[in-house]
Amino acid sequence: MLRHCLRHARPQVLRSVAWAVLRQCSFLALPWLLGLALDAAVRRADPARAAGYAAALCAVALAEYAGMRGWQLWSNLAEARAGAWLRTRLLRSVLENAARPAHRDGGDEGEAAGDLATRAGRDVETVVYWVHGLTTWVVIGTTVLVLVPSLAGLDPALLLVAAATVPVLLLVNRVFPPLYGVRAEALARAHARRSGTVEELLSALLPLRGVGADRLMVARHHRHSADVTRHTLRLGAVSALWEATAFAVPRLAVVAGLLTGGRAALDGRITVGQLTTFVLWMGTVSVAVTAAVARLGDRTDALVAAGRVAVVLDIAATGTVPAPRADRPGPVTGEPVLKVAGLTVTRPGRPPLGPLTLTARPGEWIALTGPTGSGKTTLLRALAGLAPAEGSVTLAGRPAHAWPHLTVGLVPEAPLLMRGTVTDNLLLTGDHPPDALARACRTAGLDLALAGLPHGTDTDVGDRGRALSGGQRQLVALARALLHDSPVLLLDDVTSALDTGTEAEVLRRLRRATAGRVVVFATHSPAVRALADREFALTLPLTEHLHV
């Protein structure tokens, strides 16, 4: 997959390489010209020649500046091109294969969503950062090709000093990164623990103050803050030692080079200008070694990230990217009859859930009832193709894996709202005409739930919807699912946070609006059970078979 990313950014990478070669050759020529200028001015006392070298130095400096600008410009464009291609492929794969179990690995829905977000965010950034840094290898190669013969031409002893510096720098950059990574991870965990404590303080301090728990919560926050301080200091100690060592090694090499070069200058083997050139080139050797170690680390990270993204893109082991599917399923045609045959969900360490067999026609409401933990939510997720299950689920004769992503609308009991207004969250499903938006809001009872808010659907929901009550969040998610316009609605206790009157009115409207849809309701509510056409009761532990 890395090769495919590079192929799509190849023109930009090649232009970046050309500019980088110009930049590095000019950069390495600057110490050489400076040494020649010093020799002309000091050793030969030739101001005219020194001025000529100074003019050449200025011209090469301009070329070095132009090369750097071109290098960074085309590297950034290569990164952007690779990132755009990879994100487009990732988005297309997610939308076309939303029900594919490989995307979820049977884990928790929140974990799966978070993992997918990580692959689309951090992992993609890691891959494109590798693309951005590829040109650095050309710069390192140019440095080696130029400096090895140049240092040998100055004095073989100076080449030995420079060569001895390389393994020491490699050792330094191999010893410290693992230790730094361990302590950085420990600091990240400490920050996470303190962040959780801060969130608890902000949300639960006042309710728990009445039972005397406020002092314990504050003490726990102080304890986690102390852990953050301790891990920060430990990380800072490693960082300081690493930076100081990496800084000291090339300086010690320069000192050794000065001693060696000074003797050579006294013996007449090199000039003062050549000794100055060597000192400046040694700094370049240090930078090149450090950059090489960093790029090797970037490649390792990119291989891991590319493997995670490839799981979503469904890239084969040969590295070929599948072409967009020509037979992508279209909208469901015909009567959308939902047929479930022998649906069984295996749960690690718990009794299996099912088998469930049912046939539901448009307009029917199916109620899944049972105590907490009996598997109602898991069964809904299995119907949506979001949990591994055996058996068959078909709609209008088409199996679940062939459904387009608009077939099923799943509304969880605790829905996630994004920062923005109520309208912003409703329009996450796409642009909709104002009348469709108003109809969905009314059917979901948002006019009742938001009646006390001065801005109505323009109300800001806050972070994760926390500015709204639990019932208001449920109704926003329900309206969003109605806008999704799916023939199958899977509702996970979406009226559990509503008062009795509001729940009755919302259910009345919803029943009338879903005459052409199959609705499967996981619920504890007597009002929902009273409106349901059929009820399936789950028990703990679930041992009996479920059949119509």
Side-chain angles (χ1 to χ4, degrees):
M1 198 192 72
L2 295 181
R3 288 195 296 271
H4 278 281
C5 287
L6 181 58
R7 186 187 67 185
H8 281 80
R10 184 182 299 166
Q12 291 77 17
V13 171
L14 292 178
R15 289 180 175 87
S16 173
V17 165
W19 284 103
V21 170
L22 172 63
R23 182 265 177 186
Q24 194 65 7
C25 289
S26 302
F27 180 75
L28 295 174
L30 291 175
W32 176 66
L33 290 172
L34 180 61
L36 293 177
L38 286 174
D39 286 340
V42 177
R43 184 181 179 187
R44 300 181 181 179
D46 189 345
R49 177 172 292 185
Y53 284 129
L57 195 68
C58 293
V60 172
L62 290 175
E64 191 267 341
Y65 172 77
M68 176 60 81
R69 288 290 301 272
W71 171 16
Q72 293 304 316
L73 171 64
W74 288 104
S75 289
N76 290 337
L77 290 175
E79 175 183 348
R81 180 66 178 270
W85 173 79
L86 193 54
R87 289 187 179 94
T88 300
R89 290 291 305 163
L90 186 61
L91 178 61
R92 182 183 300 163
S93 179
V94 169
L95 292 179
E96 291 183 352
N97 305 285
R100 184 169 295 184
H103 295 176
R104 287 165 287 276
D105 300 325
D108 180 78
E109 184 177 356
E111 292 178 0
D115 186 56
L116 182 58
T118 301
R119 298 185 197 206
R122 181 176 178 179
D123 290 336
V124 170
E125 290 295 334
T126 300
V127 172
V128 299
Y129 185 75
W130 169 80
V131 173
H132 183 279
L134 279 177
T135 308
T136 307
W137 287 109
V138 177
V139 173
I140 295 171
T142 303
T143 302
V144 173
L145 291 176
V146 172
L147 288 191
V148 169
S150 299
L151 289 174
L154 292 178
D155 191 289
L158 296 179
L159 178 60
L160 290 177
V161 171
T165 307
V166 174
V168 179
L169 286 173
L170 288 174
L171 180 62
V172 168
N173 286 284
R174 281 298 181 187
V175 169
F176 283 99
L179 181 59
Y180 183 90
V182 169
R183 296 196 174 180
E185 184 177 353
L187 177 60
R189 289 197 299 266
H191 273 295
R193 288 192 295 268
R194 186 176 67 172
S195 297
T197 307
V198 170
E199 184 174 355
E200 290 175 354
L201 277 174
L202 294 176
S203 60
L205 181 60
L206 291 178
L208 292 178
R209 177 173 291 176
V211 296
D214 52 330
R215 293 184 180 180
L216 293 176
M217 295 181 65
V218 172
R220 185 168 59 175
H221 172 265
H222 290 340
R223 185 170 63 253
H224 289 321
S225 296
D227 286 342
V228 169
T229 301
R230 179 168 58 86
H231 286 295
T232 300
L233 291 175
R234 295 186 64 192
L235 181 64
V238 173
S239 178
L241 184 59
W242 182 9
E243 185 174 353
T245 305
F247 181 84
V249 170
R251 270 54 183 184
L252 292 175
V254 169
V255 171
L258 285 173
L259 293 176
T260 304
R263 180 181 292 273
L266 291 175
D267 294 341
R269 298 197 304 271
I270 63 173
T271 65
V272 174
Q274 290 174 329
L275 183 60
T276 303
T277 299
F278 166 76
V279 172
L280 295 176
W281 275 344
M282 280 302 300
T284 304
V285 171
S286 173
V287 172
V289 173
T290 303
V293 173
R295 295 290 80 79
L296 287 173
D298 292 344
R299 183 178 182 275
T300 301
D301 294 340
L303 286 172
V304 175
R308 286 170 49 79
V309 175
V311 173
V312 182
L313 292 182
D314 199 22
I315 295 179
T318 57
T320 58
V321 179
R325 291 166 49 187
D327 60 340
R328 177 180 176 179
V332 174
T333 57
E335 187 181 21
V337 177
L338 178 66
K339 292 186 177 182
V340 181
L343 184 68
T344 303
V345 183
T346 302
R347 300 178 293 179
R350 303 180 63 186
L353 181 63
L356 173 66
T357 299
L358 66 86
T359 299
R361 297 187 179 278
E364 284 193 277
W365 278 28
I366 308 296
L368 300 178
T369 62
T372 300
S374 58
K376 298 185 297 297
T377 297
T378 303
L379 196 56
L380 281 187
R381 293 180 64 239
L383 288 173
L386 299 177
E390 298 178 357
S392 67
V393 181
T394 62
L395 183 69
R398 299 170 65 175
H401 64 78
W403 294 355
H405 66 279
L406 291 176
T407 299
V408 173
L410 175 63
V411 184
E413 182 179 5
L416 174 64
L417 301 186
M418 310 302 291
R419 183 178 292 276
T421 66
V422 172
T423 301
D424 293 334
N425 277 272
L426 294 177
L427 293 179
L428 287 175
T429 58
D431 293 330
H432 299 280
D435 58 335
L437 194 64
R439 188 166 54 252
C441 290
R442 174 166 177 76
T443 300
L446 277 181
D447 57 328
L448 305 175
L450 304 180
L453 300 178
H455 302 295
T457 55
D458 291 329
T459 300
D460 194 296
V461 303
D463 183 30
R464 294 180 176 267
R466 290 171 182 163
L468 302 181
S469 68
Q472 289 170 333
R473 290 196 296 270
Q474 287 180 335
L475 296 186
V476 171
L478 178 58
R480 190 163 59 191
L482 292 171
L483 281 171
H484 201 47
D485 199 22
S486 304
V488 177
L489 280 177
L490 305 177
L491 309 180
D492 190 1
D493 219 357
V494 296
T495 61
S496 60
L498 301 179
D499 62 87
T500 305
T502 303
E503 180 188 27
E505 178 61 20
V506 169
L507 291 176
R508 185 186 66 81
R509 297 180 184 182
L510 187 62
R511 183 73 208 228
R512 188 172 56 211
T514 55
R517 309 183 191 190
V518 175
V519 178
V520 182
F521 231 122
T523 184
H524 294 280
S525 169
V528 176
R529 296 170 63 186
L531 289 175
D533 298 294
R534 281 175 289 167
E535 178 180 335
F536 292 86
L538 283 65
T539 59
L540 275 176
L542 186 64
T543 56
E544 68 272 16
H545 290 185
L546 298 176
H547 292 284
V548 172

